Amino acid sequence: MSPRVPSRRLRGFALLLSIALGGASGCGGSSANRLDDDEAELDWGDEDEDNDESDEPQAKKGGGSGANAVYRQATDAEAEEDFETADKLYRKALKIDPLHKRATLRYVHFLIDRKRLPRAVKVAQKYFDAAESEPLTYHILADAQIAAGKNDKAIGTLSALLAITEEDASAFEKRGRARVAIGENKDGLSDLRRAVKLDGQNPIYRVSLAGALLRTGKGKQAISQLERALKLDDEHARAHLLLGIVARGQGDTNGALDHHRKAVEFDPADARAHFELGVTLNVLGQDDEAEASLGRAVEIDSENGVFWYTYGDLLRL
């Protein structure tokens, strides 16, 4: 039996996502965030924290050692995927020591990973307003702003940092991504090239530059950057992801399949990698595997409307 012809609509989504993915790496904003995160005042406490009978680990108050202990417990809980406990413990650590640098950085990225983006911005902004002015302070805030889609504000934050230090490759990379995201392609590419010039051994910067190059139609330059990134790190999931999109666009579906399988292997938590693998499998007529991959993408990122629509389109074939 010959395989079913992939739906025109599904192939159209492959092109749509190729364009969307031409941007930089990192999380995208989401409008479907928890209401309590949007409206609640930022308070490190919670109802059970002062209850001696609570199941939460207790720590001494009023000292860095207490905050450190709770911070370690929070990271352990996160590693064990007990996210509710981890959230409470990160809050507890920051209630003990509001200027705990590692706890703030980790908690902001914990919130970003959970797509609690308004709260991530609030936590980062609170730390930014209170902490000493140093590069990490700016980076924590910019990370949250970019994740929440507040690219204009992130550009301002990173520009303020680059006015202090002109040799921060990471700041150029992030500002470049933010600029490309709002259509400032020329300035964005300039920033991304600056990041690569400052630290050409960092594959992340090359992949971010490649994403922007793809977005602006500079395919050959993008492929060169992606190939150089893989020479630096042959397990870089996003480099494989983008090379797979390029290969599929050029009609090399077997090459795309190889890259997309590697993207999933090297970053199994990336919903977009599962999505692109599913689209490629669909183009090849491997519908059962395509359905499983698209289903996994929806499971990981249940708020992505494109994933849901494409998954539903395949199920209707």
Side-chain angles (χ1 to χ4, degrees):
M1 173 183 280
S2 61
R4 290 185 299 187
V5 177
S7 75
R8 184 172 300 173
R9 182 183 300 163
L10 201 55
R11 284 179 289 171
F13 268 108
L15 176 61
L16 172 66
L17 265 293
S18 297
I19 296 171
L21 274 169
S25 59
C27 297
S30 171
S31 60
N33 294 290
R34 289 172 29 163
L35 184 63
D36 62 339
D37 281 337
D38 287 322
E39 297 182 349
E41 291 296 323
L42 192 57
D43 182 0
W44 300 128
D46 74 48
E47 293 178 355
D48 296 325
E49 276 195 330
D50 294 325
N51 183 352
D52 291 336
E53 297 179 359
S54 170
D55 290 334
E56 290 184 34
Q58 299 296 310
K60 296 179 181 178
K61 293 189 176 182
S65 61
N68 285 335
V70 177
Y71 165 70
R72 287 192 294 270
Q73 292 166 357
T75 59
D76 288 345
E78 184 180 358
E80 294 169 1
E81 298 187 0
D82 184 355
F83 299 131
E84 182 177 355
T85 298
D87 181 77
K88 290 180 180 180
L89 289 168
Y90 281 127
R91 292 190 189 207
K92 182 184 284 291
L94 291 170
K95 186 177 183 181
I96 297 168
D97 182 0
L99 298 181
H100 195 293
K101 188 183 303 183
R102 287 177 297 165
T104 302
L105 177 62
R106 191 72 173 260
Y107 187 40
V108 167
H109 283 273
F110 171 88
L111 293 169
I112 290 172
D113 290 342
R114 310 277 85 74
K115 297 192 179 301
R116 296 173 59 190
L117 303 177
R119 185 166 186 85
V121 173
K122 288 181 181 180
V123 172
Q125 187 69 60
K126 181 175 182 178
Y127 181 78
F128 183 87
D129 292 341
E132 295 180 4
S133 180
E134 60 173 322
L136 183 61
T137 309
Y138 290 88
H139 278 288
I140 292 173
L141 180 57
D143 287 347
Q145 290 169 332
I146 290 172
K150 298 179 182 295
N151 291 294
D152 286 329
K153 291 186 176 181
I155 291 168
T157 300
L158 293 162
S159 295
L161 171 58
L162 288 167
I164 301 170
T165 172
E166 297 180 354
E167 302 299 315
D168 190 327
S170 181
F172 278 110
E173 187 267 344
K174 292 174 183 177
R175 190 174 71 174
R177 287 195 283 117
R179 282 177 160 170
V180 170
I182 62 172
E184 295 180 0
N185 295 327
K186 183 178 179 180
D187 289 339
L189 283 169
S190 177
D191 278 347
L192 291 164
R193 289 192 172 102
R194 177 66 172 158
V196 169
K197 184 176 181 180
L198 287 169
D199 186 1
Q201 297 303 304
N202 191 322
I204 294 174
Y205 301 161
R206 292 191 179 276
V207 172
S208 292
L209 174 58
L213 289 166
L214 283 175
R215 188 165 180 163
T216 54
K218 298 178 174 64
K220 289 184 179 180
Q221 293 181 43
I223 292 170
S224 175
Q225 291 297 332
L226 292 169
E227 290 174 344
R228 294 176 73 175
L230 287 179
K231 287 181 179 179
L232 295 167
D233 178 5
D234 62 1
E235 296 186 0
H236 197 290
R238 188 166 180 81
H240 283 293
L241 179 67
L242 294 178
L243 280 170
I245 291 172
V246 172
R248 191 175 64 214
Q250 295 175 337
D252 181 11
T253 49
N254 288 320
L257 182 61
D258 179 59
H259 281 299
H260 286 153
R261 287 197 188 280
K262 287 179 179 177
V264 168
E265 176 186 354
F266 299 139
D267 190 0
D270 183 4
R272 205 175 287 276
H274 288 278
F275 175 87
E276 292 296 346
L277 175 59
V279 171
T280 299
L281 287 164
N282 173 259
V283 173
L284 288 168
Q286 300 178 30
D287 294 330
D288 289 341
E289 281 193 80
E291 180 180 332
S293 293
L294 291 170
R296 181 60 181 147
V298 167
E299 181 181 342
I300 294 171
D301 186 358
S302 61
E303 297 177 358
N304 190 305
V306 174
F307 292 178
W308 273 109
Y309 194 87
T310 310
Y311 182 46
D313 187 54
L314 178 62
L315 293 178
R316 288 192 295 272
L317 286 174

